[in-house]
Amino acid sequence: MKVLKLQKRNLNSYLESLRVFGEIYGPVRKDEKYIYGQLDDLDKLDLRMLRTILPVKKFLVPPKFNTFSFEGYTYKPELEKIPRRVIFGVHPCEIHGLLILDKFFLERFPDPYYQERRKNTAILGLSCVPDEKCFAKSTGTHFVESGFDLAFNELQDFYLVWVGSSLGDDLVRLRLDLFEEDIKERDLHEYMKWRSWRDSQYKLKLDMTGMPDIMELNYNSPIWKKFGDKDLSCGACSMVCPTCPCYNVRDQLKPVGNSGERQRHWDSCMFKPFAVVAGGHNFRENRAERVKLWYTHKLKAFITEFGKPACVGCGRCIDTCPVDINIKTVVTALKGV
Amino acid sequence: MPEKPKAGFYNLSGCSGCLLTILNCEDQILDIFNGANIVSFLMANSANIEKDLDIAFIDGSVTTDEQEEFVKELRARTKKIVCLGVCSCYGGVQAMEYEKNTWSARFKKVYGTKPPTITKPFESRPVDAFVPVDYYLPGCPIDANQFLYNYARLLRGLPVDIPKTPVCLECKWRENECLLLKNIMCLGPVTATGCNARCPSVNLPCVGCFGPADEGNLTSEFNLLKEKGFSFPEIERKLRMFGGVKFVNKFKTMWKKVKK
Amino acid sequence: MATNVYLPEPMRIVRRFNLISDVRFFQVRPLAMDRALSLDYLPGQFMIVSLPGIGEAPFSISSTPSRPGLIEFGIRNVGVLTEQLFKLKENEIIGVRGPYGNGFPISKFEKKDLIIVVGGLGAVPLRSLLLYTLDNRDRFGKIYFLYGARRPNEMLFLNEFLELKGRDDLNCLLSVDKDDTGKWTENVGVVTTLFKHLKGINPNNTYATVCGPPVMYKFVIDELLKLGIPKHQILMTLERRMHCGVGKCGHCVIGSIYTCMDGPVFSHWDVLHMKDLI
Amino acid sequence: MKEIRIPTLARVEGHGNITVQIAKNKVQKVLLNIPEGPRLFETLVVGKTPSEVVNIVPRICAICSVSHRYAAIRALERALEIKETKATNALRTLMHYGEMIESNSLHAYLLALPDFLGYPNAVAMVDKYAPAVLRALRLKKFGNSIMEITTARWTHGENAAVGGFGVTPSKQQLLDIKNQALALLPDAEETVELFRNLHYPTSMEEGMTFMCLKPPTEKYGFVGNSVLISTGQEAPIEDYLKLTNERVVDHSNAKRCSYNDKPFVVGALARMNLLGERLHGKAAEAFKRCYSLSWIRNPLYTNLAQVIEILFCVEQTPLLIDQILKNYDKIVTDSKIQKPGGGTGKNVGAVEAPRGTLYHYYEVSRGLVSGANMIIPTTQNLDAMETHIRVAAENLLKSAMDSTQGKKDMDLTLEMVVRAYDPCISCSVHVVNLD
Ligand SMILES: Cc1cc2nc3c(=O)[nH]c(=O)nc-3n(C[C@H](O)[C@H](O)[C@H](O)COP(=O)(O)OP(=O)(O)OC[C@H]3O[C@@H](n4cnc5c(N)ncnc54)[C@H](O)[C@@H]3O)c2cc1C
Ligand code: SF4
Ligand code: SF4
Ligand code: SF4
C-alpha cells in the first residue's frame, strides 16, 4: 500500500481541494455530541470527535430514501440523484463496520442503492484514541487494512496517509504537492511508538471469543427476561449501530393520479411488528425474544456466516441506550461474570 | 375511472388544528380537494351537503350531547370514520383529568352557578367512546405528511397505515442527543412517532402529543424516570397531558402496579 | 450496471379464477416471450409480487419449471396487498420479481422415493414439486402425495388432484377433516390418518416434504420419524415476514439465518439445530 | 313572530349559529349562539408547571396558537420576573409575524373572499381566479414557513418556551425566509389592491369603540403592556378585567365582554384605526390609499385591514432578519432558554392575536400554577358582532321579507358580518371566573 505524509497545517488546504470530487462531510459538534455534518466551512470540522451519533452507514443507506418512483406499473429506480461525497474523519472501527455492510450488501444479490452510494462516497479514515466506551481492540477492529480510500494516521506534526484504493490515489493526485512521498525511518519509529501507546489506551475489554457457544448455552437463560423487562423498544440501539442494516418498505402515493414512490426506511428488530406475518402471528411477541434476537444476530449469526461478530467495538450502543442494555452489559451478563 | 369517494371533514371540540393542518398543505391543497368529492368541510366551505359518505374525517372530541347525537348520526351514514388528532382519537388535552371526577367542579368554576343552557356539556371523550371508529391518525395536531400519505391510501380504499414505533426512532434519524441521558424527562420512548421528532430536535423533551405508542414499555420508562428523581405525580401529569383517555384505559392496571 | 434486484418485472395476468372461496389462482406471463421462456426456477422457490402504491409480498410458485412460459400462484386474500390483487382482471399487469429462496434440492431426490405431505395452502408450493416430478417421472422412485384439507370446498386444485388418482405411477391420497357435502368419496380424517396407506417404505431411500399450517408440522413429522425417515431427509417450507427476498431487509431473520435466502426450505435437522424455526 | 336562522356558520373556526327574531317587522332579538363544547382550559392549567402551561394553552386554538403561546409566555415571565432578552424578543416578533401572515391570509383569502366573489369556497375560485388563489397559498405557506423555523411546526410548535427558545433558527433558514419575503412583496401589494377594489356592503354600518395594545415604540406592532381605547383613554393591561367585563349568557357557551356597558371591537380593524398612522413604507402608503371614515363603522373593512397587516409583516421581515443576522452569534446565546427565576408570582400578559387583544393571566405558587384567566378576542367582539348583525338585519328587513333574493342577501350579509370578525370559536368557549 502506498503511504504518504501530510503536514497537519496542510490538512484544510487539502480537504478544500477535494470539493471538485463532491460535498465534504466530517465530524462537527452538535451540542455535547458529534455528527458527520456537511463542511461548507472547514472551520466547523472538529477532530476531537470520538464517536458520532449516527455512523457512516447513514450515507450509504440513508434512514429514509426512495428506491423507485413509479407511474402506473412502470418503475424508475432513483439512482441518479445520489451525490458524490467525501467523508473525512472515519475511525477504524467504523471502516470495519463498512466492510461488514459491504459483505452484506454487495455479495449475493448486490444492492444497487448501496453499491451506487458506496461508489460515490470517498471514505477518508482517521486514527483515534479510545475512551472508556471503546473496545475496538477486543473486536480486532482498531486498525484498518482495507475499506477506505485514504486513511489518515495522526502523529505529532503530520499525518501518515495510507492510500487504500484507486479512487484514493486519484484524490491524492489532486494536490500531490502537499504530500511528501519519502517516509523516513524516524517517521516509522514515531508511528510504531504511537501504535503501542494507543494499544495501551483501551480501558474496556470485551472478549468475544466463543460467543456462538455462549449464546447457545444461554438460549433459555433468565437474563433475557431481565433485559426484556427493561427494554424500552425504542430502537435507538439499532439506529446507531454501524452494522445494523434492517429496513422497511412502503409506497407513497399522491392524492390524485397513479404515481408515487417506493420508500425504504430504517427498521429495527427491537420493534414488535418486525416479525408479524399476515393473519397477525408474531414470531417474536415479547421483548425478551427480541433482545435475544438482536444479540444472537450480532454475536452468533455473523460469526457463523462471516467468521467474525457484527460488533466493531465502537461503543455507540453503550453511549445510547437509556436503560443500559448494550453489548457490554449483555456480554457480561451472558458470561455470568 | 371509478367515481371519487365522497368525503366530509368535521370538527367537534378542539382547536381545529388538524383541519388547519390540512388547509396548511398549500402545495397539495388543490389535489386534496380534487382527489375526493368533498361534500362537507364547514371550516373552508359554505355549500355543504350532509348525506351518505365514504369517508368522514373528525377533528375534536365529544363534549356535548349535541355532538354525541351528531357522531351517531354521522356513523349511520358513513362507511369509514377517521379520527384526526388526539382529541378525536383519545379525548385530547381537555381529557387530561379523565376519570379523576373533577369535571363538574371545574365546570362550575368556569361558568359559575348559572351555566348556559344551550347544550348539555360533559367531560371530553374520544369519538370511539360513542361509536366505532375505523382509523386513527393521532397527533396534536396531526402531521401533514402522515395525513397526505394516508389520505392518498384512503381515497383508494386502503387502510390507514401509521407507525407503531416510538418517537425515538425518528429522533435518532435526526441525530439528536438523547435527552433522557441528560436527565430530562422525555416521553419519546412511550409516544407514537409520526411527528419527525420535532421537540427533541429543538432540544426540548417530547411532551407526548401523538399519544401513547402501542409498543412503548411504560413500566420501564416509569422506573427510569423515577431513578432520575422525577416524582410520581410529575410523570403521570405528563403522560396524561395528551394521552388522555387512551392512557388511562390502556395503562390503568399497570399504573396501579407501579404506583405501589 | 447490473440489473436492479428490486425492480419488479411487469407480467400480464393470463388467467385467474378462484381455487376455493378465498384463494385465487393467478397465471401470469412476462411481457416478452423470450423472457417468459427463459425464466427458470426450482419447485419450492417463491417470487415477490408488487403493486405500485400498495406494496410487495412473497408468494410461492405453484407451476413447474418443466412447463416454461407461465408462472402460477395460489393466493389467499388476507390483507392489504392480496385484497388489491383480487381486484385485478385478466390482462392486467402486475409486477413480479424473483425467483428467490433455495427451493427443494431436486438433485438429491433423484432415484429416491418421495412422500409429499400437504395441509391447506401448502398445496401451492408442493404442487410445483409434484408436477415437476410427474413431468420427469423416470428420474424418481415411488411418489406419495398426501393432502389434507378441512373440508372438500377448502381443497385447492381438487379436480386436478382427483384426476391424478387415475395414474398408476403416483399414490395420490386425499383427505378432509370433515365432509359437509355428503359427496366426498375419499378419506375423512386429519392428514396423518393417511399414513396408514404408506406400506413398505424404505426410510433411508425416502425424502419427505411437508408444507401446511404451523399446527400440522409437529404431527406429520412425528409420523415421518416413526417411519424411520432420517431427519435431514424431512424437508419443509416455512413462512416469515419479508420485504426484500434477497437477505437485506432483515424481517425474515431467525437466529442465524435468513429465511428468504437460506430457506424457505429447511430440513427437520435444521429446525432442531437452529431453534426458533417453528 | 318570525325567525331568521343560519344554523351553522361556515368558513369560521368552530361552531356557531345566528338567530334573528322578528316581530311586527322589527328586529326583536339577535342571538349569536355558540354551542361548541367547553374545554375548561383555565382549570386544566392549574397544578401544572409554567412550561407545561405553555404546552397546553396553544391548544385553545390552532389558528392563533402562536399568540396564545406568546401571551402565556409574557404573563408567566412577568409573573416570575424573567426578563425577555432583546434576542428572544426579536425571534418572538418574527414568529408572531409568521402567524399574522398565515392567519390573515387564511382569513382574508380563503374564508372571506369567496363571499365577495360569490363562491362557496376558495378552491372553487381556481377556475376564474387562479392567480389570486395561488397568491393566497404562497403567502399562507410563507407564514407557515416562518412558524416552522421559529417554533418547529406550523401549528403548536414547542420551540418557543418560557425563558427563550430551545433552538435558534439557523442562518440559512433565516436567509431563506428573508429571500422569500423579498420575493413575496409584490404578492402582498397585489393583495392589498385586490381587497381595496372589492365592493363592501354598507347595510351593517354602526360606529364602535376600538381597543388594541399600545406598542412600546412609536412603530406599528403587536405587543404592549397598555391598551389604547378609541375614546382616547389608555389603560395598563393589569386592568384587563375592567376593560373587558366578562359575563356568562345563557344562549351561548362563549362568554361576553363589554366596556362601559357598550360593545367594543378588537382585531386588525381596531389596530388600523388606532395605530395606522404609525405604519411605515409601503404599508403606510397602502393605508393612506385605503383608509376612510367608514372604517370606524363598517366591520367588513377588517378584511382590508388584515391584508395591510400582511404587507406590513412581509415588508418588516427582511429588516428584522437583517437585524438578527447582524448579531447572530449573540442572538444564539441570548435566546437560549434561561432557567426560570423565582417560583412564585402572578401577572397578566397580552399580545395582539390576529383577531385582537389576547390576555393571559396566571398565578404561580412554588413552581405550579394555582390560578389562571384568559380573555379571548372573539369573546370581546361577540357583542359588537351582535350589534352589527342587528343593524344589518334591520336595514335589510324590508327586502328580505319580500323576496327569496332578499332573504339570500340577508343571510349572506349576516354571515359576512360574522366572518369579517374572523371569529375563533374554539378560543371563545372556555373562559373563567377566578374565585
Ligand atoms: C416464502 C413465502 C411464501 C408464501 N407463499 C404464499 C402463497 O403461496 N400463497 C399465499 O396466499 N400466501 C403466501 N405467503 C404469505 C403471503 O406473503 C402473505 O399472505 C402476504 O404477505 C399478505 O400480504 P397482505 O398485504 O395482503 O397482508 P397484510 O396482513 O395486509 O400484510 C401487511 C404487511 O405485512 C407484511 N406481511 C404480512 N405477512 C407477511 C408474510 N408472510 N411475508 C412477508 N410479509 C408479510 C407485508 O409486507 C404486508 O405489506 C408466503 C409467504 C412467504 C414468506
Ligand atoms: S436495547 Fe436500549 S436502545 Fe435498544 S431498543 Fe431497548 S431500550 Fe432502546
Ligand atoms: S453492537 Fe454496539 S459497540 Fe458493537 S458495533 Fe454495534 S453499536 Fe458499536
Ligand atoms: S431524546 Fe427522547 S425521543 Fe429522542 S431518543 Fe431520547 S428519549 Fe427518545
Side-chain angles (χ1 to χ4, degrees):
Chain A
M1 204 178 302
K2 192 152 116 186
V3 184
L4 301 165
K5 238 166 97 173
L6 178 74
Q7 294 300 328
K8 278 190 177 172
R9 62 187 136 78
N10 287 333
L11 179 68
N12 279 13
S13 331
Y14 178 60
L15 292 178
E16 200 59 57
S17 74
L18 299 180
R19 294 197 194 279
V20 298
F21 176 81
E23 304 160 357
I24 303 192
Y25 282 77
V28 300
R29 230 182 141 80
K30 180 166 180 183
D31 302 318
E32 283 148 54
K33 299 268 170 184
Y34 292 88
I35 62 169
Y36 290 109
Q38 192 165 0
L39 297 169
D40 37 15
D41 174 2
L42 281 173
D43 282 348
K44 284 201 237 161
L45 185 66
D46 190 337
L47 297 179
R48 286 169 304 173
M49 179 278 276
L50 205 64
R51 67 178 67 76
T52 50
I53 296 179
L54 289 181
V56 271
K57 100 178 157 186
K58 77 170 183 182
F59 295 106
L60 303 171
V61 251
K64 208 153 99 177
F65 69 94
N66 291 339
T67 53
F68 295 105
S69 55
F70 53 78
E71 179 89 51
Y73 59 80
T74 319
Y75 293 82
K76 198 172 149 290
E78 295 207 352
L79 283 164
E80 285 91 48
K81 290 178 215 146
I82 293 173
R84 289 213 297 182
R85 286 181 174 145
V86 176
I87 321 292
F88 176 74
V90 184
H91 291 176
C93 60
E94 276 236 64
I95 293 176
H96 280 274
L98 282 181
L99 288 171
I100 288 174
L101 291 183
D102 285 351
K103 271 197 185 354
F104 186 83
F105 281 110
L106 298 178
E107 292 176 6
R108 279 169 97 185
F109 300 110
D111 181 298
Y113 302 96
Y114 183 87
Q115 205 164 33
E116 191 66 13
R117 286 201 170 79
R118 187 76 160 105
K119 202 179 77 198
N120 285 345
T121 311
I123 301 293
L124 272 53
L126 180 65
S127 60
C128 53
V129 180
D131 68 358
E132 73 295 343
K133 290 170 187 160
C134 297
F135 56 101
K137 195 176 164 215
S138 307
T139 45
T141 50
H142 58 324
F143 284 100
V144 279
E145 284 96 40
S146 61
F148 55 86
D149 298 294
L150 296 174
F152 291 65
N153 235 296
E154 185 185 348
L155 298 177
Q156 195 62 42
D157 300 315
F158 57 86
Y159 296 101
L160 280 182
V161 182
W162 272 254
V163 182
S165 72
S166 145
L167 171 64
D169 195 52
D170 293 345
L171 294 181
V172 164
R173 279 168 202 284
L174 286 172
R175 284 301 301 271
L176 211 49
D177 59 309
L178 294 177
F179 291 88
E180 297 154 48
E181 287 190 77
D182 63 328
I183 309 293
K184 308 260 167 23
E185 199 172 327
R186 203 178 51 216
D187 303 336
L188 177 76
H189 197 72
E190 189 184 338
Y191 173 66
M192 290 316 292
K193 228 173 79 190
W194 173 84
R195 233 183 119 114
S196 53
W197 171 79
R198 176 171 175 265
D199 266 14
S200 69
Q201 294 304 299
Y202 283 91
K203 300 282 171 332
L204 177 60
K205 296 188 175 65
L206 268 185
D207 181 6
M208 294 209 195
T209 43
M211 276 328 285
D213 292 352
I214 294 169
M215 292 292 300
E216 192 72 31
L217 288 169
N218 277 293
Y219 186 79
N220 290 319
S221 163
I223 70 152
W224 299 120
K225 178 164 173 358
K226 216 184 81 206
F227 284 122
D229 285 346
K230 266 177 100 177
D231 167 33
L232 294 165
S233 298
C234 75
C237 49
S238 315
M239 302 303 127
V240 303
C241 180
T243 68
C244 271
C246 294
Y247 65 79
N248 224 325
V249 180
R250 65 176 197 177
D251 282 13
Q252 296 262 9
L253 281 160
K254 308 239 151 57
V256 284
N258 53 2
S259 64
E261 286 101 32
R262 179 154 293 166
Q263 197 181 67
R264 224 198 231 189
H265 58 81
W266 290 358
D267 199 358
S268 166
C269 59
M270 299 301 269
F271 297 143
K272 189 165 173 183
F274 192 78
V276 176
V277 292
H281 180 70
N282 191 343
F283 287 94
R284 280 182 297 275
E285 182 74 29
N286 54 55
R287 291 195 176 84
E289 291 170 306
R290 302 199 290 270
V291 177
K292 181 159 80 179
L293 190 265
W294 203 88
Y295 286 94
T296 308
H297 205 227
K298 290 264 123 108
L299 298 176
K300 186 174 157 214
F302 256 79
I303 300 184
T304 323
E305 175 100 4
F306 297 119
K308 53 181 185 182
C311 170
V312 295
C314 73
R316 280 189 177 78
C317 54
I318 304 176
D319 205 33
T320 301
C321 176
V323 292
D324 241 7
I325 304 174
N326 53 51
I327 198 90
K328 178 175 132 190
T329 53
V330 171
V331 168
T332 313
L334 282 169
K335 291 185 166 175
V337 286
Chain B
M1 192 65 200
E3 215 179 295
K4 286 181 195 171
K6 287 192 289 290
F9 290 83
Y10 300 92
N11 169 236
L12 307 174
S13 289
C15 74
S16 304
C18 297
L19 294 186
L20 182 66
T21 300
I22 297 170
L23 297 180
N24 279 348
C25 298
E26 290 92 3
D27 293 335
Q28 296 89 1
I29 190 80
L30 300 179
D31 276 357
I32 292 173
F33 273 78
N34 286 334
N37 175 9
I38 296 182
V39 293
S40 178
F41 197 149
L42 199 60
M43 185 167 156
N45 182 36
S46 55
N48 299 302
I49 308 157
E50 296 309 330
K51 56 177 184 185
D52 285 359
L53 286 173
D54 294 303
I55 316 166
F57 294 92
I58 304 180
D59 149 327
S61 68
V62 182
T63 63
T64 67
D65 55 349
E66 222 176 51
Q67 291 169 338
E68 178 180 346
E69 285 312 307
F70 171 74
V71 293
K72 287 181 176 158
E73 183 264 329
L74 186 66
R75 176 73 273 184
R77 59 183 165 93
T78 302
K79 289 203 189 108
K80 299 283 180 203
I81 287 191
V82 185
C83 283
L84 298 180
V86 289
C87 294
S88 54
C89 293
Y90 313 137
V93 281
Q94 58 271 28
M96 69 174 83
E97 310 268 287
Y98 182 65
E99 285 204 345
K100 279 191 169 175
N101 296 323
T102 59
W103 189 83
S104 312
R106 287 189 290 119
F107 184 77
K108 235 189 226 141
K109 199 163 172 187
V110 175
Y111 285 95
T113 40
K114 256 185 66 200
T117 51
I118 177 164
T119 50
K120 188 173 154 292
F122 43 71
E123 177 153 38
S124 166
R125 267 175 289 164
V127 174
D128 67 6
F130 302 93
V131 295
V133 165
D134 299 283
Y135 302 118
Y136 302 85
L137 273 185
C140 188
I142 53 167
D143 177 77
N145 287 325
Q146 200 172 76
F147 170 77
L148 290 167
Y149 168 63
N150 282 295
Y151 187 64
R153 288 174 66 87
L154 287 162
L155 296 186
R156 288 161 179 84
L158 301 175
V160 160
D161 172 33
I162 53 168
K164 291 194 165 68
T165 45
V167 175
C168 306
L169 173 75
E170 290 182 311
C171 185
K172 284 282 100 54
W173 292 0
R174 296 191 66 177
E175 290 207 84
N176 300 317
E177 178 175 7
C178 180
L179 295 164
L180 281 174
L181 296 174
K182 295 203 232 171
N183 296 327
I184 295 170
M185 192 199 299
C186 184
L187 295 189
V190 290
T191 301
T193 196
C195 60
N196 204 8
R198 280 167 199 276
C199 296
S201 302
V202 292
N203 288 334
L204 297 171
C206 167
V207 292
C209 81
F210 270 58
D214 281 336
E215 305 310 339
N217 187 344
L218 203 58
T219 317
S220 176
E221 166 92 355
F222 174 79
N223 289 334
L224 179 69
L225 292 176
K226 229 171 56 178
E227 263 169 46
K228 293 188 186 293
F230 296 102
S231 72
F232 184 88
E234 264 176 296
I235 303 171
E236 181 176 2
R237 207 164 65 215
K238 293 262 190 214
L239 288 167
R240 276 176 165 273
M241 204 180 322
F242 295 94
V245 176
K246 177 169 178 184
F247 167 75
V248 174
N249 290 343
K250 194 170 156 85
F251 296 111
K252 208 181 304 187
T253 37
M254 171 255 143
W255 204 239
K256 277 189 192 130
K257 255 190 280 168
V258 294
K259 198 168 180 173
K260 277 188 208 139
Chain C
M1 201 180 42
T3 51
N4 189 324
V5 278
Y6 306 106
L7 183 67
E9 199 178 323
M11 295 200 189
R12 189 176 301 285
I13 301 176
V14 179
R15 227 147 60 91
R16 42 124 238 192
F17 56 84
N18 272 19
L19 292 167
I20 60 173
S21 68
D22 62 343
V23 179
R24 190 167 285 192
F25 179 75
F26 286 88
Q27 198 178 46
V28 304
R29 192 176 71 87
L31 294 187
M33 186 48 92
D34 52 340
R35 169 67 182 150
L37 292 175
S38 64
L39 204 163
D40 198 16
Y41 54 91
L42 281 171
Q45 282 195 299
F46 63 93
M47 299 192 87
I48 288 195
V49 172
S50 188
L51 291 181
I54 317 292
E56 298 189 305
F59 297 98
S60 307
I61 305 173
S62 197
S63 49
T64 163
S66 48
R67 302 175 198 174
L70 295 167
I71 311 275
E72 292 164 358
F73 300 107
I75 294 175
R76 170 166 279 159
N77 185 355
V78 293
V80 181
L81 179 95
T82 45
E83 184 176 329
Q84 299 301 316
L85 274 174
F86 269 53
K87 291 187 183 156
L88 297 180
K89 302 195 180 62
E90 278 163 17
N91 272 323
E92 290 199 76
I93 307 288
I94 60 172
V96 181
R97 57 189 179 88
Y100 300 125
N102 54 359
F104 288 106
I106 298 279
S107 56
K108 289 190 186 156
F109 296 171
E110 304 243 349
K111 306 265 167 345
K112 302 283 195 306
D113 297 344
L114 210 53
I115 306 175
I116 300 173
V117 192
V118 177
L121 206 58
V124 172
L126 290 187
R127 171 178 175 262
S128 174
L129 178 65
L130 177 67
L131 297 182
Y132 182 86
T133 52
L134 293 178
D135 284 352
N136 298 278
R137 191 61 194 88
D138 50 340
R139 283 163 53 195
F140 304 96
K142 279 188 266 181
I143 301 175
Y144 302 90
F145 181 70
L146 283 59
Y147 182 9
R150 270 186 297 192
R151 299 161 210 285
N153 64 2
E154 288 183 32
M155 185 163 273
L156 309 184
F157 306 104
L158 178 59
N159 291 333
E160 191 176 319
F161 294 146
L162 282 173
E163 231 167 79
L164 290 178
K165 285 193 71 81
R167 284 178 78 135
D168 52 11
D169 57 353
L170 167 75
N171 204 338
C172 178
L173 301 164
L174 307 178
S175 183
V176 294
D177 296 358
K178 213 174 119 193
D179 172 29
D180 49 6
T181 61
K183 292 188 201 131
W184 182 251
T185 53
E186 303 296 309
N187 187 56
V188 176
V190 293
V191 72
T192 44
T193 60
L194 292 171
F195 275 78
K196 56 179 182 283
H197 299 290
L198 304 184
K199 298 262 161 56
I201 301 284
N202 173 0
N204 285 330
N205 199 43
T206 301
Y207 270 86
T209 62
V210 191
C211 186
V215 287
M216 190 192 85
Y217 286 94
K218 188 184 171 330
F219 299 103
V220 170
I221 287 163
D222 280 352
E223 291 296 326
L224 293 168
L225 291 172
K226 265 192 248 163
L227 288 174
I229 301 177
K231 291 190 274 284
H232 64 274
Q233 288 176 204
I234 301 173
L235 302 168
M236 54 194 89
T237 83
L238 302 182
E239 188 190 335
R240 280 298 185 281
R241 188 192 188 99
M242 290 174 192
H243 286 294
C244 69
V246 291
K248 306 284 187 271
C249 79
H251 286 83
C252 71
V253 163
I254 314 169
S256 305
I257 58 123
Y258 284 81
T259 315
C260 65
M261 289 199 304
D262 306 311
V265 177
F266 293 97
S267 74
H268 181 48
W269 164 243
D270 293 333
V271 170
L272 291 178
H273 172 65
M274 296 196 292
K275 304 197 169 96
D276 291 338
L277 282 187
I278 46 179
Chain D
M1 175 134 97
K2 284 197 186 127
E3 233 183 50
I4 295 176
R5 243 178 93 79
I6 298 172
T8 35
L9 283 164
R11 280 184 280 122
V12 298
E13 190 281 339
H15 286 283
N17 58 56
I18 309 171
T19 309
V20 181
Q21 291 171 353
I22 296 157
K24 297 188 208 113
N25 268 344
K26 278 201 88 152
V27 173
Q28 303 294 330
K29 211 168 183 184
V30 172
L31 297 170
L32 182 60
N33 299 335
I34 299 200
E36 176 110 359
R39 293 183 293 154
L40 316 179
F41 270 89
E42 292 89 339
T43 65
L44 292 177
V45 296
V46 171
K48 309 293 191 292
T49 63
S51 75
E52 286 164 351
V53 167
V54 175
N55 298 144
I56 296 169
V57 295
R59 271 76 186 184
I60 291 172
C61 169
I63 298 181
C64 21
S65 67
V66 162
S67 293
H68 277 287
R69 181 177 298 269
Y70 197 178
I73 289 173
R74 283 180 73 85
L76 288 161
E77 288 182 353
R78 280 158 56 95
L80 301 174
E81 286 167 19
I82 299 168
K83 220 173 127 35
E84 183 188 52
T85 63
K86 273 205 175 110
T88 299
N89 179 273
L91 290 170
R92 286 177 181 165
T93 306
L94 182 60
M95 83 175 177
H96 208 182
Y97 285 171
E99 176 165 284
M100 287 293 170
I101 296 169
E102 195 283 327
S103 179
N104 282 358
S105 46
L106 171 75
H107 178 255
Y109 271 109
L110 303 190
L111 308 184
L113 187 61
D115 287 337
F116 288 92
L117 302 179
Y119 284 88
N121 64 59
V123 175
M125 307 189 313
V126 164
D127 286 344
K128 240 180 114 185
Y129 295 97
V133 174
L134 296 176
R135 197 187 309 128
L137 294 176
R138 280 196 296 274
L139 286 167
K140 214 171 97 50
K141 184 176 173 180
F142 173 61
N144 274 325
S145 308
I146 297 182
M147 288 193 276
E148 170 92 43
I149 69 153
T150 47
T151 74
R153 187 152 58 184
W154 297 337
T155 308
H156 304 332
E158 305 289 349
N159 192 33
V162 177
F165 284 80
V167 141
T168 317
S170 71
K171 274 187 190 167
Q172 193 53 50
Q173 285 174 320
L174 290 164
L175 275 174
D176 285 350
I177 292 294
K178 177 185 162 181
N179 292 334
Q180 286 177 43
L182 293 173
L184 282 172
L185 209 52
D187 277 344
E189 290 178 275
E190 278 172 53
T191 301
V192 174
E193 282 311 290
L194 172 69
F195 279 81
R196 188 167 72 90
N197 292 317
L198 294 176
H199 168 69
Y200 293 87
T202 53
S203 52
M204 76 299 291
E205 289 194 349
E206 169 92 12
M208 279 288 159
T209 304
F210 295 92
M211 278 190 210
C212 78
L213 291 174
K214 183 182 172 198
T217 65
E218 292 303 301
K219 292 186 186 141
Y220 197 88
F222 303 109
V223 293
N225 290 335
S226 63
V227 178
L228 285 177
I229 308 163
S230 57
T231 51
Q233 293 111 303
E234 186 180 328
I237 55 170
E238 283 80 353
D239 289 351
Y240 75 103
L241 288 176
K242 277 189 241 149
L243 285 165
T244 56
N245 302 298
E246 269 198 329
R247 66 182 195 278
V248 175
V249 293
D250 67 0
H251 62 276
S252 169
N253 286 347
K255 294 188 183 178
R256 293 305 176 83
C257 294
S258 58
Y259 178 62
N260 287 343
D261 290 328
K262 284 210 199 87
F264 64 93
V265 173
V266 294
L269 191 57
R271 293 191 288 265
M272 281 297 156
N273 274 322
L274 291 160
L275 308 173
E277 296 295 336
R278 295 172 170 227
L279 290 164
H280 282 275
K282 291 188 191 312
E285 289 164 27
F287 175 72
K288 283 201 194 88
R289 236 177 299 131
C290 300
Y291 194 74
S292 71
L293 277 179
S294 309
W295 287 45
I296 58 172
R297 289 193 302 271
N298 190 335
L300 295 183
Y301 283 103
T302 305
N303 298 307
L304 190 44
Q306 283 180 331
V307 299
I308 296 176
E309 286 192 335
I310 296 177
L311 177 59
F312 165 77
C313 294
V314 173
E315 201 180 4
Q316 291 301 312
T317 296
L319 306 177
L320 180 58
I321 290 180
D322 281 342
Q323 199 188 313
I324 295 172
L325 287 175
K326 207 167 65 201
N327 253 322
Y328 183 73
D329 291 337
K330 190 163 158 52
I331 296 266
V332 172
T333 335
D334 289 0
S335 63
K336 285 230 164 70
I337 296 174
Q338 319 161 32
K339 284 273 165 271
T344 300
K346 55 184 169 185
N347 215 329
V348 60
V351 303
E352 284 292 319
R355 285 148 201 82
T357 316
L358 168 63
Y359 304 93
H360 276 226
Y361 168 84
Y362 297 101
E363 292 171 1
V364 188
S365 118
R366 274 178 281 134
L368 293 180
V369 168
S370 52
N373 196 0
M374 299 146 202
I375 310 261
I376 270 68
T378 298
T379 322
Q380 298 170 57
N381 280 334
L382 284 171
D383 273 5
M385 247 186 266
E386 269 187 12
T387 307
H388 280 127
I389 291 172
R390 173 193 290 273
V391 174
E394 275 169 0
N395 287 335
L396 294 172
L397 194 56
K398 206 163 164 339
S399 53
M401 289 301 128
D402 294 348
S403 65
T404 37
Q405 184 55 41
K407 162 93 175 71
K408 258 197 190 146
D409 286 350
M410 162 89 92
D411 282 6
L412 178 66
T413 310
L414 300 189
E415 284 195 57
M416 280 173 83
V417 169
V418 176
R419 274 200 278 277
Y421 280 97
D422 193 2
C424 213
I425 288 168
S426 301
C427 283
S428 57
V429 178
H430 69 318
V431 200
V432 87
N433 296 336
L434 274 182
D435 292 339

